[in-house]
Amino acid sequence: MKFDMTSQTLREARKYEEAFGKLILQQERPSFHLSPRTGWMNDPNGFSWFGGKYHIFYQYYPYDAHWGPMHWGHAVSADLLHWEYLPAALAPDEIYDRDGCFSGSGLTLPDGRQLLMYTGVVRERLADGGCNEIQTQCIAVGDGVDYVKYHKNPVLDGRDLPEGGSKYDFRDPKMWKEADGSYGCVVGNRSADGSGQLLLFTSADGFAWHYKKVLAANRNRFGRMWECPDFFALDGKWILLVSSQDMLPSGFEYHNGNGTLCLMGDYDREREEFTEESNQAVDYGIDFYAPQTILTPDGRRVMIGWMQNWDTCGYRRKNDEAWFGQMSLPRELSVQNGRLYQKPVRELEDMRSNRISYENVRVSGPCSLDGIRGRRIDMELVVRPEEGEELYRKFAVRFAQNDLYYSSLSFRPGESILKVDRKFSGSRRAIIHQRRCKVNHKGGLLKLRVILDRFSVEVFVNDGEQVLSAVLYTDQEAEGISFIADGIAKMDVIKYDLV
Ligand code: FRU
C-alpha cells in the first residue's frame, strides 16, 4: 500500500517542521507531555492504536506559535509518555477544507488501513465584510504516516443535519467501532436555540454515514456551543464528554468561559437513547480542554486533553516562542461512587526514580525537606491533623519556587476548598491565575498526587476523584518545594524524579 499523494501544502509543512523542529532543544519542551513539533498545538485528534503503537494527531499550525489554518500534526508512542514525531498528516489543501482541517478522530479499518475523520472548514465571505465558516465532515485513509483524502469528501454536510442544526457549527467527529463491525460517530452542532447538541451518525463501512438522531442537547444549560464530544461505556455507565464554550459559573463546579464536562448516564442501545443522570467538571484547574479517549489494547479507557484553555492562551504572549500548547498527561478513567475518576497512566510509574520519603512530618509555619525539589517529579502527599490538636486552618505546598517565584496548592479544611495558584509564577498577563474547588476529606485528611513537568502541574486529589491542571512557564531554575501550615498539620511525602 502506498499513500504518496501529498500536496504542495503538506510537503511545505513537512519540510518546515523538519527543519525548524530540530532547532527546539529538548530542555525547552515538556519532557513527557506532548508539545507541537513546531509552532502551535491545540486539541488532540485521532487518538488511536494502530500498527502496534499509540497514535496521536493534533490541531497544528506549524509556521507560528499562534492559531492559523489548521493542519494535523502527528506523533506515535509505545507508552503514551515518550512521543516520536511523524510528518504532519493533513494540510488544508482541498476545496472542502481549504481553511482548515479541524478536530476529529481515527480508527482501524478491517483491511488494516487507518481511517481518519475530521472537520473540513471553508470560509464564506459575507456582503457586510464578515465571514461564515462552513463545516463539513471529511475522511482520509492511510498507512500510519501518509493519508489520502477520500474522493467523495465531504461525507457529511449541511444536508445531513436535523431541522435547525447550523452548518456553521458542525464539527469534531468522534468515531467508534460497534461489536457488529459497523461504526458510530458523534459530532458537535449548534441547534436552533443557539446552544449545543450532539448528533449521532452511523455507517456500515466507515465511508457512507447517515444521520440518526440528537444524542444529547445542551438546551443552554452548560455554556453554548458544544465541541469535541466523546461517547463510551465505562464501568457499567455511559459517559459523554463534551467541551463547552461560553460557560457561566456554577458554584465551585463550573467556571466562566470554556470548560469540559462529563455527562454520566445510561444508554439504551436499541432505541439509541442516552439518559443523563449526573454531570460534573472533568478538570478543576485552569488549563484543560477538548479531551479525547482511547480504549487501549489491554482494555483501559485513557483520556488525553489539550492542557490549555482558549481564554488563557495569553499566558505566553511574547510571540517569540518556537512552540505553544501541550497535551495533558494521559489519564486512566474509571467510575467510582457515581463519579468520573482519573489517574495518570500506570506507565508513568516506570519513569520514577530517586524515591525520597518522609513520614509524620509536623508542619507548623513554613518548612522544606532535604531532597524534595524539582520540576519533573511525581509527589504523593497525605496531610492530616495532628492527633489531640485542633484542626489546622490551612495547609499549602509551594513549588516551582525560588526567591522570585512560586506556585501553590492550598487547602482549607474548614471550607473544604483546594486552590491552585500561579499568580507568582512569572506570568505578566491579566488572565486567570487561580482556581478553587470543593474537595472531600475526612476531618482534614487529604491525599494529593502532584505531577510537575517543566511547564505544568497536574494535581490528582484523593486517588483521582478530582484533577486540577495548569501550565506554568516559570524559569526552570525555580525548582524549590516548601510546605506551610496555619495551625499544626501532619504530613507524609513520597517524591520521585521523572527523568
Ligand atoms: C476546540 C476547537 C474545535 C475545532 C478546533 C479548531 O478547541 O474549537 O471545535 O475543531 O478547536 O482548531
Side-chain angles (χ1 to χ4, degrees), residues 381-387 389-396 411-418 439-448 462 485 488-492:
L381 290 176
V382 180
V383 55
R384 57 182 176 274
E386 163 88 295
E387 242 172 82
E389 296 284 345
E390 66 182 48
L391 182 62
Y392 59 92
R393 286 167 294 281
K394 180 177 160 186
F395 169 85
F411 173 51
R412 290 179 181 276
E415 297 154 42
S416 304
I417 295 283
L418 178 69
V439 294
N440 287 322
H441 61 96
K442 288 190 206 92
L445 187 142
L446 186 74
K447 273 181 96 169
L448 301 172
N462 293 332
I488 304 166
K490 273 284 177 83
M491 163 183 89
D492 302 334

Coordinates of all heavy atoms in Angstrom, one line a residue, residues 381-387 389-396 411-418 439-448 462 485 488-492:
L381 N 1.4 13.2 48.6 CA 1.3 13.9 49.9 C 0.0 13.4 50.6 O -1.0 13.3 49.9 CB 1.1 15.4 49.7 CG 2.2 16.2 49.1 CD1 1.7 17.7 49.0 CD2 3.3 16.2 50.1
V382 N 0.2 13.1 51.8 CA -1.0 12.9 52.7 C -0.9 13.9 53.8 O 0.1 13.9 54.5 CB -1.1 11.5 53.2 CG1 -2.3 11.3 54.1 CG2 -1.1 10.4 52.1
V383 N -1.9 14.7 53.9 CA -1.9 15.7 55.0 C -3.1 15.4 56.0 O -4.2 14.9 55.5 CB -2.0 17.1 54.5 CG1 -3.1 17.4 53.6 CG2 -2.0 18.2 55.6
R384 N -2.9 15.6 57.3 CA -3.9 15.3 58.2 C -3.7 16.1 59.5 O -2.6 16.6 59.7 CB -3.9 13.8 58.6 CG -2.6 13.3 59.1 CD -2.6 11.8 59.4 NE -1.3 11.4 59.7 CZ -0.3 11.0 58.9 NH1 -0.6 11.0 57.6 NH2 0.9 10.7 59.3
P385 N -4.7 16.2 60.4 CA -4.5 17.0 61.6 C -3.5 16.2 62.5 O -3.4 15.0 62.4 CB -5.9 17.1 62.2 CG -6.8 16.4 61.3 CD -6.1 15.7 60.3
E386 N -2.9 16.9 63.4 CA -2.1 16.3 64.5 C -3.1 15.8 65.5 O -4.0 16.5 65.9 CB -1.2 17.4 65.0 CG -0.5 17.0 66.4 CD 0.8 16.3 66.2 OE1 0.7 15.1 65.7 OE2 1.8 16.8 66.6
E387 N -2.8 14.5 66.0 CA -3.7 14.0 67.0 C -3.7 14.8 68.2 O -2.7 15.3 68.7 CB -3.3 12.6 67.3 CG -4.3 11.5 67.0 CD -3.7 10.1 67.2 OE1 -3.7 9.7 68.3 OE2 -3.3 9.5 66.1
E389 N -4.7 17.7 68.6 CA -4.6 19.2 68.3 C -5.8 19.6 67.6 O -6.5 18.8 66.9 CB -3.4 19.5 67.5 CG -2.0 19.2 68.2 CD -1.7 20.2 69.2 OE1 -2.3 21.3 69.3 OE2 -0.8 19.9 70.0
E390 N -6.1 20.9 67.6 CA -7.3 21.3 66.8 C -7.0 21.3 65.3 O -5.8 21.3 64.9 CB -7.8 22.7 67.3 CG -6.8 23.8 67.0 CD -7.3 25.1 67.5 OE1 -7.8 25.2 68.7 OE2 -7.3 26.1 66.7
L391 N -8.0 21.2 64.5 CA -7.9 21.1 63.1 C -7.0 22.3 62.5 O -7.3 23.5 62.9 CB -9.3 21.1 62.4 CG -9.3 21.0 60.9 CD1 -8.7 19.7 60.5 CD2 -10.8 21.1 60.4
Y392 N -6.0 22.0 61.7 CA -5.3 23.1 61.1 C -6.2 24.0 60.3 O -7.2 23.5 59.7 CB -4.1 22.6 60.3 CG -4.5 21.6 59.2 CD1 -4.7 22.1 57.9 CD2 -4.6 20.3 59.4 CE1 -5.0 21.2 56.9 CE2 -5.0 19.4 58.4 CZ -5.2 19.9 57.1 OH -5.6 19.1 56.1
R393 N -5.8 25.2 60.1 CA -6.7 26.1 59.3 C -6.3 26.1 57.8 O -7.2 26.2 57.0 CB -6.6 27.6 59.9 CG -7.4 27.7 61.2 CD -7.0 29.0 61.9 NE -5.7 29.1 62.3 CZ -5.2 28.5 63.5 NH1 -6.0 27.8 64.2 NH2 -4.0 28.6 63.8
K394 N -5.1 25.9 57.6 CA -4.6 25.9 56.2 C -3.4 25.1 56.0 O -2.5 25.2 56.9 CB -4.4 27.4 55.7 CG -4.0 27.5 54.2 CD -3.9 29.0 53.9 CE -3.0 29.1 52.6 NZ -2.8 30.6 52.4
F395 N -3.3 24.4 54.9 CA -2.0 23.7 54.6 C -1.7 24.1 53.1 O -2.6 24.1 52.3 CB -2.2 22.2 54.7 CG -1.0 21.4 54.1 CD1 0.1 21.2 54.9 CD2 -1.1 21.0 52.8 CE1 1.2 20.5 54.3 CE2 0.0 20.3 52.2 CZ 1.1 20.0 53.0
A396 N -0.5 24.4 52.8 CA -0.1 24.7 51.5 C 1.2 24.1 51.1 O 2.1 23.9 51.9 CB 0.0 26.2 51.3
F411 N -5.0 24.3 50.9 CA -6.2 23.6 51.3 C -6.6 24.1 52.6 O -5.9 24.2 53.6 CB -5.8 22.1 51.5 CG -6.9 21.2 52.1 CD1 -8.2 21.3 51.6 CD2 -6.6 20.4 53.1 CE1 -9.2 20.5 52.1 CE2 -7.6 19.6 53.7 CZ -8.9 19.7 53.2
R412 N -7.9 24.5 52.7 CA -8.5 25.0 53.9 C -9.6 24.0 54.3 O -10.7 23.9 53.7 CB -9.2 26.3 53.7 CG -8.2 27.5 53.5 CD -9.0 28.8 53.2 NE -8.0 29.8 53.0 CZ -7.4 30.5 54.0 NH1 -7.6 30.3 55.3 NH2 -6.5 31.4 53.7
P413 N -9.3 23.1 55.3 CA -10.2 22.0 55.6 C -11.5 22.5 56.1 O -12.6 21.9 55.9 CB -9.5 21.2 56.7 CG -8.4 22.1 57.2 CD -8.1 23.0 56.1
G414 N -11.5 23.7 56.8 CA -12.8 24.2 57.4 C -13.8 24.5 56.3 O -15.0 24.4 56.5
E415 N -13.3 24.9 55.1 CA -14.2 25.2 54.0 C -14.2 24.1 52.9 O -14.9 24.3 51.9 CB -13.7 26.6 53.3 CG -13.8 27.8 54.3 CD -12.8 28.9 53.9 OE1 -12.7 29.1 52.7 OE2 -12.2 29.4 54.8
S416 N -13.3 23.1 53.1 CA -13.2 22.1 52.1 C -12.8 22.6 50.7 O -13.2 22.1 49.7 CB -14.5 21.3 52.0 OG -14.9 20.7 53.2
I417 N -12.0 23.6 50.7 CA -11.6 24.3 49.5 C -10.1 24.0 49.2 O -9.2 24.2 50.0 CB -11.8 25.8 49.5 CG1 -13.3 26.1 49.7 CG2 -11.2 26.5 48.3 CD1 -14.1 26.0 48.4
L418 N -9.8 23.5 48.0 CA -8.5 23.4 47.5 C -8.3 24.4 46.4 O -9.1 24.5 45.5 CB -8.2 22.0 46.9 CG -6.9 21.7 46.4 CD1 -5.8 21.6 47.5 CD2 -6.9 20.3 45.6
V439 N -13.4 19.9 47.8 CA -12.9 18.5 47.8 C -13.4 17.8 49.0 O -13.9 18.4 50.0 CB -11.3 18.5 47.9 CG1 -10.7 19.1 46.6 CG2 -10.8 19.3 49.1
N440 N -13.4 16.5 48.9 CA -13.8 15.6 50.0 C -12.6 15.3 50.9 O -11.5 15.1 50.4 CB -14.4 14.3 49.5 CG -15.7 14.5 48.9 OD1 -16.6 15.2 49.4 ND2 -16.0 13.8 47.8
H441 N -12.8 15.4 52.2 CA -11.7 15.0 53.1 C -12.3 14.4 54.4 O -13.5 14.8 54.7 CB -10.8 16.2 53.4 CG -11.6 17.3 54.1 ND1 -11.5 17.5 55.4 CD2 -12.3 18.3 53.6 CE1 -12.3 18.5 55.7 NE2 -12.8 19.1 54.6
K442 N -11.5 13.6 55.1 CA -12.1 13.1 56.3 C -11.4 13.8 57.5 O -10.3 13.6 57.9 CB -11.7 11.6 56.4 CG -12.5 10.7 55.5 CD -12.3 9.2 55.8 CE -12.5 8.4 54.6 NZ -11.3 8.2 53.8
G443 N -12.1 14.8 58.0 CA -11.7 15.6 59.1 C -10.3 16.2 58.9 O -9.5 16.2 59.8
G444 N -10.0 16.6 57.7 CA -8.7 17.3 57.4 C -7.7 16.3 56.8 O -6.6 16.7 56.5
L445 N -8.1 15.1 56.5 CA -7.2 14.2 55.8 C -7.4 14.3 54.3 O -8.5 14.0 53.9 CB -7.4 12.7 56.3 CG -6.4 11.7 55.8 CD1 -6.0 10.7 56.9 CD2 -6.8 11.0 54.5
L446 N -6.4 14.7 53.6 CA -6.5 14.8 52.2 C -5.3 14.2 51.5 O -4.2 14.3 52.0 CB -6.5 16.3 51.8 CG -6.8 16.7 50.4 CD1 -8.2 16.5 50.0 CD2 -6.4 18.2 50.1
K447 N -5.5 13.5 50.3 CA -4.4 12.9 49.6 C -4.2 13.7 48.3 O -5.2 13.9 47.6 CB -4.8 11.5 49.2 CG -4.5 10.5 50.3 CD -4.9 9.1 49.8 CE -3.7 8.3 49.2 NZ -4.1 6.9 49.0
L448 N -3.0 14.0 48.0 CA -2.7 14.7 46.7 C -1.6 14.0 46.0 O -0.6 13.6 46.7 CB -2.2 16.2 47.1 CG -3.2 17.1 47.8 CD1 -2.5 18.4 48.2 CD2 -4.4 17.4 47.0
N462 N -7.3 12.8 46.1 CA -8.0 11.6 46.6 C -8.0 10.4 45.6 O -9.1 10.0 45.3 CB -9.4 11.9 47.1 CG -9.4 12.9 48.3 OD1 -8.5 12.9 49.1 ND2 -10.5 13.7 48.4
A485 N 1.9 25.4 57.1 CA 0.6 25.2 57.8 C 0.3 26.3 58.7 O 1.2 26.9 59.3 CB 0.6 23.9 58.5
I488 N -1.4 23.3 63.1 CA -0.4 22.1 63.1 C -1.0 21.1 62.2 O -2.1 20.6 62.4 CB -0.2 21.6 64.5 CG1 0.3 22.7 65.4 CG2 0.8 20.4 64.4 CD1 0.2 22.3 66.9
A489 N -0.2 20.7 61.2 CA -0.6 19.6 60.3 C 0.4 18.5 60.3 O 1.6 18.8 60.5 CB -0.9 20.1 58.9
K490 N 0.0 17.3 60.1 CA 1.0 16.2 59.9 C 1.0 15.8 58.4 O -0.1 15.8 57.8 CB 0.5 15.0 60.8 CG 1.0 15.0 62.2 CD 2.5 14.6 62.2 CE 3.1 14.7 63.5 NZ 2.9 13.6 64.4
M491 N 2.1 15.4 58.0 CA 2.2 15.1 56.5 C 3.1 13.9 56.2 O 4.2 13.8 56.9 CB 2.7 16.4 55.9 CG 3.3 16.3 54.5 SD 3.9 17.9 54.0 CE 5.6 17.8 54.6
D492 N 2.7 13.1 55.2 CA 3.6 12.1 54.7 C 3.9 12.5 53.2 O 3.0 13.0 52.5 CB 3.0 10.7 54.6 CG 2.5 10.2 55.9 OD1 3.1 10.6 57.0 OD2 1.5 9.4 56.0

